[in-house]
Amino acid sequence: MSIVITGATGNLGRHVVEQLLEKVPAEQVTAVVRNAEKASDLAERGVRIAVADYNAPETFDGLFTAGDKVLLISGNEFDKGRVGQHRVVIDAAKAAGVALLAYTSAPGPLTAALADDHRGTEEALLGSGVPYALLRNGWYHENYTENLAPVLEHDAVLAAAGEGRISSASRADYAAAAVAVLTGEGHENKTYELGGDEAWSFAEYAAELSRQTGKEIVYNPVTVEALTGILAGAGVPAPVAAVLAGVDASIEKGELVVDSGDLSRLAGRPTTPLAEAVAAALKG
């Protein structure tokens, strides 16, 4: 029996593998990657490396074995039909008879276009009959803290979210929940709504940045249309810019507030405060 992680060298996947290695022997962990070189450090530590690509279904033939627990980390190729990509993994998992397939989805209330692929994947997974766990991940702190350069350059936080609030958490927090599900018992056919313990607004985010930098950083609310144009002007492909701006519209409606407590409960600790993530980003 293996614990298998797809997208294992991605931002979230690396956190999951690192935390798994604290709990189980390396030989029980399989990292599924597209480029073996990127996982050479994991191979050196005894992790089994499997090279496979969502876009080449045959690469998943025989990758899973009966009794495996699998984490399907959603792909980021928005233009390649993510539901079809994810279905490749679901079909291979079903054929092998895996014990559990956990999927990193999106919050249940999210109506933004970003959620469409996640809902489609959830339907495929539930229809497959494979024992599942839906990890409906909220937003990551890093979505903001990794893009501080323009904020610090212009002393302004730009968003189309009005006074909406977000229950974000760190990637390490979401990884901890995934690891708990993959190494624990009784998670079959469960849905977890995951988000940070404390919701925040963009005005509060700007205030926190001001506090930690000693600069006056303001929140400039803009329209969804304006944000789409700004992102496109910064080189983001137009369809992706529209999807990202659409998420802000959902934030304004309160769709990224998660108050289930599932994340801290699964992680076994409080989630990482936004202020801590900001401090780490400013140091980095």
Side-chain angles (χ1 to χ4, degrees):
M1 192 278 286
S2 237
I3 296 176
V4 187
I5 312 301
T6 73
T9 52
N11 288 326
L12 179 62
R14 280 228 167 241
H15 279 289
V16 173
V17 173
E18 289 293 342
Q19 293 186 38
L20 270 175
L21 292 175
E22 294 171 9
K23 291 199 165 191
V24 300
E27 60 269 21
Q28 286 182 22
V29 180
T30 299
V32 181
V33 297
R34 285 190 290 197
N35 182 338
E37 279 179 36
K38 285 188 180 173
S40 58
D41 60 313
L42 298 177
E44 286 168 11
R45 293 161 68 186
V47 174
R48 177 176 163 242
I49 308 300
V51 178
D53 189 328
Y54 297 151
N55 300 305
E58 67 279 2
T59 60
F60 280 89
D61 290 347
L63 197 155
F64 305 128
T65 56
D68 282 353
K69 290 184 176 180
V70 180
L71 177 64
L72 169 54
I73 295 180
S74 56
N76 58 5
E77 295 177 313
F78 295 96
D79 57 338
K80 293 199 175 168
R82 291 196 298 169
V83 177
Q85 290 180 328
H86 298 157
R87 201 184 290 272
V88 166
V89 180
I90 294 167
D91 290 347
K94 180 177 183 177
V98 305
L100 183 72
L101 178 55
Y103 172 65
T104 61
S105 192
L110 188 63
T111 60
L114 181 79
D116 293 347
D117 289 348
H118 292 298
R119 297 291 165 259
T121 301
E122 286 189 6
E123 285 175 19
L125 180 50
L126 269 61
S128 72
V130 173
Y132 67 86
L134 299 181
L135 305 176
R136 288 182 170 167
N137 287 357
W139 231 218
Y140 301 141
H141 291 330
E142 290 90 344
N143 291 350
Y144 302 103
T145 59
E146 285 181 353
N147 298 295
L148 283 179
V151 174
L152 299 177
E153 183 186 340
H154 300 290
D155 292 337
V157 172
L158 219 62
E163 296 175 12
R165 302 179 77 76
I166 312 169
S167 305
S168 67
S170 70
R171 287 196 188 106
D173 294 337
Y174 292 107
V179 167
V181 166
L182 293 166
T183 58
E185 299 297 329
H187 298 290
E188 294 82 3
N189 306 329
K190 296 280 178 67
T191 298
Y192 298 106
E193 296 287 348
L194 305 175
D197 296 335
E198 298 288 334
W200 52 270
S201 69
F202 281 99
E204 290 167 345
Y205 176 50
E208 184 59 37
L209 286 168
S210 299
R211 187 180 72 78
Q212 293 201 30
T213 60
K215 301 167 77 177
E216 188 180 343
I217 296 174
V218 298
Y219 168 42
N220 282 343
V222 296
T223 64
V224 169
E225 294 72 24
L227 183 60
T228 305
I230 290 163
L231 292 170
V236 177
V240 179
V243 166
L244 293 175
V247 169
D248 274 18
S250 284
I251 291 169
E252 184 167 24
K253 295 178 198 162
E255 294 174 4
L256 278 176
V257 172
V258 179
D259 57 10
S260 65
D262 285 350
L263 182 51
S264 52
R265 197 158 41 243
L266 282 171
R269 56 169 174 74
T271 60
T272 306
L274 179 66
E276 200 174 299
V278 168
L282 291 172
K283 270 186 207 152

